Each structure stands twice: as structure tokens, then as C-alpha cells.
């Protein structure tokens, strides 16, 4: 029986809920679902790289041989053999990571949320790159920090710029490898300087590394967590090297911090899927990634070069862009008078999509910037889409 209520219920949302905003990229993706759209917008891995048969075989084996454990509740910190594999993979160059430092998460996005819960109070100073990963800005914003932008140049984050802004900062969030959105990477020299600077200033350094394995040259740069395991919080993910649909990430931190993160995760979702963790461990335990990742690097490298060649042919000389050596993104700077949001409106009419750069800035957005992703678009559509964008940009000069 339905109760008739003459006074519709009025929801009273929290202040935190009222400040939540939808991801601009997720909104664009709704448009790009149309098959006729040439989409350079999403930061989605190419489905051509998903090891479907290998994953299916692993699911079958885990369920057949250990199904009752796989389908049961699991420990909050995660499946121990997988945590051991991660710890061993990070124990390089004299650093020793133990599995007790590893917390499995439901995608690395959850790791960002947990770090926000544990480290950020309202008004806390949080240092971020300029520009920075939109998902991190969105995750941290819920806890109402004071974002302070750290200087960057064509080579990425400038470590010396921390000296003037670090006082009282709760953390510095950085993506050192093929950064989202710019595709830039930090040199070994800058990594050392950054780790030393953060240690000297007492600022915890969050090293978010979803793209580190995707170097087109096949030579991953050294990880900063190995340079200072006591002061660096490392975030990793299986989304870019296996498949994002499994939603499996992890955070590696000093023991005192990881225990706090574990408590926060208990309150959020008890634990990440035991079945998923066991399947991923089954897939990777015997060295599968050593054979699989090079195929991803080759595909992405070829498509990146295709886009760079097309941009050199069709974009006007007044536009500049990064030339990444790995990852999934190219960053474009247009003449100052061109508004990328307005350009997007016109591009969508021409069946092309990209992400304007302004949402990636915590402060003082640069409206003449944009991000292009090339990994899910075949070469002939890359060339066609870039030609359309180049024409639209030229018309605004």
C-alpha cells in the first residue's frame, strides 16, 4: 500500500555532499559513447590489450581449486601472496619493502580517497603539480583542503619551488612518469632532488605511478619510494597493465600510516574483492607481465607517434605540445586567446572530442590548454580527428 504524502520529503545534504562535483571527463565520456565520435577524451586503456583468455583461465582455475576461499570475505589489507609479489617488485636498488606495508584497494582512486581521509583536515595545505591529475583533485576536494600549486616547466615538477610553499603541508601529490594530463616525466636528477627536498622539509611525498611500466623504450625510471621508503607513499594499479574493470590498486606506505589507511578502508568497504586479487595473482605470478607489457608499449608508442606526426602536419605553428616517451597523453598549449572549452563545443559538432585543460588546475586554470589521448583510437581515425582539430584551431587564429 502506498502512503500518500502531501509534503514531499526534503533531503538535508551535508556540506561535504553539497560541494561534490562530477568529473568533467566522466561527463564528456557520456558524449563520446556515440560510435561516430572520434574521441581523444578518455584516459581509457585500449581494450586490444586486455588479456581476456588469460583472465578467463585464471578465474576458472581459482574457482575450481580454491573457490570457497575466493568467494569468502577477505582480510582488509589484502591477499598476502599478491601483497608479497608487490613488495618484491618494489624492493629494488637496496630498498626493502615488506608485504605489511602494502594495502590493496578498489582501484587506485580508493587509495586517493583513503589518503584524504587519513591525512587531510579542512584547510590543510596540500601541494599539487600545475596541472595535476583531475581524479586526485576530485578525491582530495571532498576533505576541503587548501590546494597550493607547485611550479612546473617543460620537464615536469620543479623541486626547488617547494622551498617557498612547503611549510605546514600535509603532502605533495606527484605523478613522475608520463603524467596525466601532460605526459611529462621527471628526470632521475629531479627525482633525487624531489625526494631529498621533501625529506628535508618534512613533507610526505605521494608517488602515484599508474603509467610507469608504459615506457615506449622499455626502460622504466627508478621509483622514488626506493629512494626513501620512510618518506614516500607509493600508489600503483593493475588497470593500465591488465584491465581497469577489475578495479584493483594498491598503496605502499610506512607501517604507521598504512595501519591508519587500513582502518579507513575497513569503514569504507571492509576489503577489496578476494576473488579478484587471487585471479590477478594467478595471472601475474609466473612472469606474465614481462611478456604482456611490451605489447602494450608497442601499440601505444605507435599510436602516439601517429598522433604526433598528424599534429606536426595539421596544427598551426603557434600551438605547442608535449612529446611523451610513454603513457597515454599529449598536452597542448594553444595561443592565449583560444578558449579550449569553446573549441570543444565546435569540435563535438565535427564529431571529435578531447578534454579541455582547465579542470586539471587546482588554482588559476589556463583555458588555452587541452589533453589528447590516443590509445583507444586507430591510426586512420587519429589522422582524421587531428586534421579536424587543426582546422578548427587555425580558424581561431
Amino acid at each position: 500500500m502506498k502512503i500518500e504524502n502531501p509534503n514531499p520529503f526534503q533531503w538535508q545534504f551535508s556540506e561535504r555532499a553539497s560541494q561534490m562535483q562530477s568529473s568533467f571527463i566522466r561527463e564528456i565520456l557520456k558524449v563520446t559513447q556515440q560510435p561516430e565520435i572520434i574521441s581523444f577524451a578518455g584516459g581509457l586503456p585500449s581494450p586490444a590489450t586486455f588479456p581476456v583468455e588469460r583472465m578467463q583461465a585464471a578465474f576458472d582455475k581459482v574457482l575450481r581449486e580454491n573457490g570457497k576461499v575466493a568467494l569468502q570475505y577477505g582480510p582488509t589489507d589484502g591477499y598476502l601472496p599478491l601483497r608479497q609479489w608487490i613488495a618484491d617488485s618494489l624492493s629494488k636498488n637496496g630498498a626493502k619493502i615488506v608485504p605489511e606495508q602494502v594495502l590493496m584497494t578498489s582501484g587506485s582512486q580508493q587509495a586517493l580517497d583513503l589518503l584524504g581521509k587519513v591525512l587531510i583536515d579542512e584547510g590543510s595545505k596540500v601541494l599539487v603539480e600545475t596541472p595535476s591529475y583531475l581524479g586526485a583533485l576530485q578525491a582530495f576536494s571532498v576533505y576541503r583542503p587548501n590546494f597550493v600549486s607547485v611550479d612546473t616547466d617543460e620537464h615536469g615538477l620543479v623541486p626547488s619551488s617547494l622551498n617557498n610553499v612547503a611549510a605546514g603541508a600535509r603532502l605533495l601529490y606527484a605523478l613522475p612518469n608520463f603524467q596525466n594530463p601532460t605526459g611529462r616525466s621527471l628526470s632521475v636528477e629531479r627525482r633525487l632532488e624531489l625526494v631529498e627536498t621533501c625529506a628535508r622539509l618534512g613533507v610526505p611525498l605521494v608517488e602515484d605511478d599508474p603509467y610507469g611500466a608504459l615506457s615506449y623504450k622499455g626502460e622504466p625510471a627508478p621509483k622514488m619510494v626506493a629512494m626513501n621508503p620512510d618518506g614516500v607513499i607509493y600508489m600503483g594499479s593493475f588497470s593500465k597493465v591488465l584491465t581497469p574493470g577489475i578495479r584493483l590498486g594498491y598503496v605502499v606506505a610506512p607501517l604507521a600510516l598504512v595501519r591508519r589507511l587500513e582502518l579507513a578502508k575497513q569503514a569504507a568497504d571492509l576489503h577489496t574483492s578476494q576473488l579478484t586479487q587471487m585471479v590477478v595473482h594467478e595471472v601475474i605470478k609466473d612472469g606474465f607481465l614481462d611478456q604482456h607489457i611490451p605489447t602494450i608499449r608497442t601499440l601505444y608508442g605507435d599510436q602516439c607517434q601517429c598522433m604526433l606526426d598528424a599534429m606536426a602536419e595539421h596544427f598551426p605553428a603557434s600551438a605547442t605540445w608535449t612529446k611523451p616517451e610513454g603513457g597515454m597523453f599529449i598536452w597542448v598549449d594553444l595561443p592565449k586567446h583560444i578558449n579550449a572549452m569553446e573549441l570543444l563545443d565546435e569540435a563535438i559538432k565535427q564529431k571529435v572530442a578531447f578534454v579541455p585543460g582547465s579542470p586539471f588546475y587546482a588554482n588559476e586554470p589556463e583555458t588555452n590548454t587541452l589533453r589528447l589521448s590516443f590509445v583507444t583510437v586507430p591510426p586512420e581515425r587519429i589522422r582524421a580527428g587531428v586534421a579536424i582539430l587543426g582546422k578548427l584551431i587555425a580558424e581561431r587564429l
Side-chain angles (χ1 to χ4, degrees), residues 83 100 111 118 131 137 161 185-186 189 194 221 264 295 304 312 330 333 353 387-388 397:
R83 290 163 48 226
E100 290 77 16
V118 169
L137 298 178
S161 67
S185 295
L186 286 181
E189 293 74 19
L194 182 60
T295 66
C304 178
I330 294 172
D333 283 274
I388 291 170
L397 295 180

Side-chain angles (χ1 to χ4, degrees), residues 215-234:
S215 167
Y216 305 150
K217 297 179 180 179
E219 300 173 358
K223 301 185 187 304
M224 294 186 289
V225 67
M227 301 174 185
N228 182 18
D230 294 330
V232 177
I233 303 159
Y234 183 85

